Amino acid sequence: MLGFLIAMLAGFLTPQLEGPVAGPIAKALGGYFAVEPNETRLIAFMAALLAAAVCAALLDSGTVFGVILGAILGYFGTRIYTVFKKIIEGRPNAD
């Protein structure tokens, strides 16, 4: 469960990792092949998922499925929340 929560946090923090983490990685990789500007978010997500997987392995907590699911839910968490909020607000009251 702890691995799932760590991965969810990593997915959620992906946009904030674009500059400080993905930027230097993309710059280092740029010497070997072209890195498109829209790929930096993916590089940040991969770095965050790798860090979450290492933490889950060190803490011996979580399965591969749980870590991946947590990262996906964390990454899309704000969008999922918005969708559910619209669904709930769109329903008529059950009075």
Side-chain angles (χ1 to χ4, degrees), residues 3-4 7 49 52-53 56-57 61-72:
F4 173 80
L49 188 55
S61 174
T63 62
V64 174
F65 178 76
V67 170
I68 292 171
L69 182 64
I72 291 169

Side-chain angles (χ1 to χ4, degrees), residues 2 16 27 35 38 49 56 61-62 85 87 95:
L2 186 59
Q16 289 81 14
K27 194 175 198 179
V35 178
N38 60 351
L49 188 55
S61 174
K85 187 177 175 183
I87 290 171
D95 293 288

Side-chain angles (χ1 to χ4, degrees), residues 12-95:
F12 182 74
L13 293 177
T14 295
Q16 289 81 14
L17 297 176
E18 272 188 75
V21 176
I25 294 172
K27 194 175 198 179
L29 292 175
Y32 299 101
F33 55 86
V35 178
E36 301 296 323
N38 60 351
E39 293 176 327
T40 56
R41 174 79 49 108
L42 176 62
I43 293 171
F45 183 69
M46 291 187 311
L49 188 55
L50 180 62
V54 168
C55 288
L58 289 175
L59 296 172
D60 196 26
S61 174
T63 62
V64 174
F65 178 76
V67 170
I68 292 171
L69 182 64
I72 291 169
L73 289 176
Y75 184 81
F76 293 109
T78 55
R79 297 179 200 174
I80 293 169
Y81 173 76
T82 303
V83 168
F84 282 135
K85 187 177 175 183
K86 286 181 182 178
I87 290 171
I88 291 171
E89 289 175 353
R91 285 192 182 162
N93 291 340
D95 293 288

Side-chain angles (χ1 to χ4, degrees), residues 5 8-9 68:
L5 295 174
M8 188 177 264
L9 180 65
I68 292 171

